[in-house]
């Protein structure tokens, strides 16, 4: 019998997680707060499948079957028979805690409750439930169908069994997992990219090198696929500023103190590709 997955939030990440899971044979229920968000999410999945089919990477029948495994709802009660629930709503701790409080009441006793947060300590989310040992971080990367990594994050009380179930799930949808044993703010990946972007922005700000040269140095010197400033433009300077501020607040580690240029770029609306201007003009 196929396993049941519930995904909370049909945005960029939630729909990506629903897509790869349905393709891997999971029965998926995708939940968002409005029908419009659900239609957008499912529409995005359908057009992503179409692209894979057009490129010959997926059979049309398999795509149709996978799409048929995804149902949508605005009703949170739909999580009741899910083996795993993955939350992928806005990166706001109050919103996530409210959802986990509700999931605690609605989900099966043995369900694993996972969050796709990229930086919020899992312990803070798990503490909203009466079963923190069943709560874990499953941090997928964007775009989910293309990116191989899933960062699994242990909260203070996450059990070995929960971590093992989360790993089994992530591997079943084709991902390679790394385990974060203590849920420091930013985990491993967001901490590393934040440190690199902050230092790159400081070098650029102080005129040590141009944005292009900083990025070329990382690409050709270290074999990175993309330089840190181009990455900041792609991810959104605002998103990275927010992540870095959170890590700095929690760790009080000066290396995460965001440079003034990142704040001013965000104030000015130069947040990267989505606004047309960031460290580069797009
Ligand atoms: N975008 C990325 O590159 C990326 C990468 C890794 C992790 N993340 C994390 O994944 C999570 C989701 O990010 P995203 O980029 O998909 O966001 P998004 O803004 O694209 O989607 C969030 C969705 O959650 C929905 N939502 C809000 N409150 C809800 C509720 N109570 N119940 C159900 N749905 C609700 C919204 O309507 C929206 O559709 C965040 O925690 C983010 O930090 C994002």
């Amino acid at each position: 019998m196929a396993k049941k997955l519930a995904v909370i939030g049909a945005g960029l990440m939630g729909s990506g997680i629903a897509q790869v899971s349905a393709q891997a044979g999971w029965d998926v229920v995708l939940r968002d707060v409005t029908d419009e968000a659900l239609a957008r999410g499912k529409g995005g999945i359908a057009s992503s499948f179409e692209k894979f089919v057009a490129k010959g990477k997926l059979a049309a029948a398999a795509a149709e079957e996978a799409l048929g495994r995804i149902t949508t709802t605005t009703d949170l009660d739909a999580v009741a028979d899910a083996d795993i629930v993955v939350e992928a709503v806005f990166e706001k701790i109050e919103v996530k805690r409210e959802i986990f409080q509700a999931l605690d009441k609605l989900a099966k006793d043995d369900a694993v409750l996972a969050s796709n947060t990229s930086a919020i300590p899992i312990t803070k989310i798990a503490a909203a439930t009466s079963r923190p040992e069943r709560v874990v971080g499953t941090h997928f990367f964007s775009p989910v169908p293309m990116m191989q990594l899933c960062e699994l994050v242990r909260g203070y009380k996450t059990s070995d069994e929960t971590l093992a179930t989360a790993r089994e799930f992530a591997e079943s949808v084709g991902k390679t997992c790394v385990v974060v044993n203590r849920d420091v703010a930013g985990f491993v990946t967001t901490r590393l990219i934040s440190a690199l972007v902050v230092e790159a922005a400081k070098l650029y700000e102080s005129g040590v090198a141009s944005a292009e040269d900083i990025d070329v140095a990382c690409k050709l010197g270290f074999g990175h696929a993309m330089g840190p400033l181009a990455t900041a433009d792609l991810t959104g300077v605002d998103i990275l500023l927010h992540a870095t501020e959170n890590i700095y607040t929690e760790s009080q580690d000066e290396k995460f103190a965001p440079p003034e240029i990142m704040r001013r770029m965000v104030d000015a609306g130069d947040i990267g590709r989505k606004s047309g201007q960031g460290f580069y003009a797009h």
Side-chain angles (χ1 to χ4, degrees), residues 50-215:
E50 274 167 26
K51 284 185 197 136
F52 281 110
V53 171
K55 284 187 191 150
K57 292 189 172 162
L58 184 67
E64 202 178 316
E65 216 177 283
L67 202 57
R69 275 193 213 103
I70 303 171
T71 54
T72 58
T73 183
T74 53
D75 186 359
L76 196 58
D77 289 351
V79 304
D81 60 350
D83 301 296
I84 299 187
V85 183
V86 180
E87 165 277 313
V89 306
F90 306 128
E91 187 77 345
K92 291 245 158 40
I93 186 157
E94 317 80 58
V95 182
K96 292 192 190 282
R97 281 180 56 94
E98 202 176 294
I99 287 170
F100 274 75
Q101 223 162 22
L103 293 178
D104 192 26
K105 298 201 178 73
L106 297 169
K108 292 196 294 193
D109 285 348
D110 62 349
V112 163
L113 309 180
S115 174
N116 193 57
T117 176
S118 31
I120 300 171
I122 295 301
T123 308
K124 290 185 194 248
I125 297 171
T129 74
S130 64
R131 41 173 135 169
E133 70 287 353
R134 307 295 296 172
V135 180
V136 64
T138 50
H139 179 202
F140 289 86
F141 288 72
S142 174
V144 182
M146 308 301 291
M147 298 292 280
Q148 273 295 302
L149 184 64
C150 181
E151 188 176 34
L152 299 177
V153 187
R154 271 183 192 276
Y156 194 72
K157 294 192 172 174
T158 305
S159 71
D160 291 346
E161 191 192 352
T162 298
L163 192 80
T165 306
R167 178 191 286 277
E168 219 175 281
F169 159 62
E171 289 180 350
S172 80
V173 305
K175 303 305 173 200
T176 299
C177 298
V178 295
V179 176
V180 179
N181 288 314
R182 282 192 305 118
D183 58 348
V184 293
F187 315 139
V188 168
T189 53
T190 306
R191 245 175 134 91
L192 285 173
I193 191 62
S194 295
L196 188 59
V197 168
V198 163
E199 192 55 34
K202 283 182 188 162
L203 290 169
Y204 170 71
E205 181 179 45
S206 56
V208 172
S210 66
E212 289 82 357
D213 281 0
I214 290 166
D215 282 350

